[in-house]
Amino acid sequence: MFRAIAAAFSLALIAAAPALAGDEPYNAKVTTIFDHKLPHVPGKSMRGVLVEYGPGGYNPSHTHAKSAFISATVIEGRIKSQVNGGEVKIYKTGENWTEVPGDHHQVSANASDTEDAKILAVFVVDTDETELTIPDD
């Protein structure tokens, strides 16, 4: 019984490691690859962000711009993600998820310690929002 509890606790710590690891990204690069005002939708823009994780890479727990609706697609590797305290999920190449304004992204990490991973995140956001990702305090 003790072994089962210890094993479950160890797995929980491993799953939470990116969220506990610190306030700075590790082995992660974020690049805006497009930014276009939406025609016929005054005040709104669509921004594409490429997030590249090296092995073991992660971004700290964060929220996004208050107006941000996001569709994220894994374009290489496997991504570990947790939003709003829900289940930690692993997404494979070609899989995607969405985030709505106010969502809290607690885990955003490469699920592999040996291979690279990449996400294309497409934001629909108020044009005047300049900071897309806000790390937790």
Side-chain angles (χ1 to χ4, degrees):
M1 175 73 157
F2 178 74
R3 283 185 184 161
I5 292 170
F9 182 72
S10 295
L11 287 173
L13 283 177
I14 290 167
L20 302 172
D23 296 335
E24 296 296 320
Y26 171 75
N27 206 7
K29 179 182 174 187
V30 178
T31 307
T32 300
I33 57 174
F34 65 83
D35 184 355
H36 301 289
K37 290 182 180 178
L38 292 174
H40 310 296
V41 187
K44 292 289 185 180
S45 291
M46 183 168 50
R47 296 186 185 136
V49 176
L50 179 64
V51 182
E52 300 173 273
Y53 292 114
Y58 62 85
N59 277 308
S61 183
H62 59 273
T63 56
H64 291 288
K66 64 181 169 67
S67 66
F69 176 85
I70 305 156
S71 177
T73 302
V74 179
I75 58 175
E76 179 182 332
R78 296 178 304 129
I79 298 293
K80 187 182 334 182
S81 180
Q82 180 187 34
V83 178
N84 296 329
E87 175 185 351
V88 175
K89 296 182 181 177
I90 295 181
Y91 296 90
K92 297 179 253 175
T93 301
E95 295 181 328
N96 61 70
W97 70 93
T98 58
E99 295 179 47
V100 299
D103 278 354
H104 186 213
H105 200 167
Q106 286 110 342
V107 176
S108 181
N110 186 339
S112 172
D113 289 329
T114 59
E115 298 177 9
D116 293 337
K118 295 179 186 176
I119 305 167
L120 174 61
V122 178
F123 289 68
V124 175
V125 65
D126 290 347
T127 300
D128 63 357
E129 296 259 28
T130 57
E131 190 173 8
L132 294 181
T133 301
I134 301 101
D136 293 353
D137 290 330

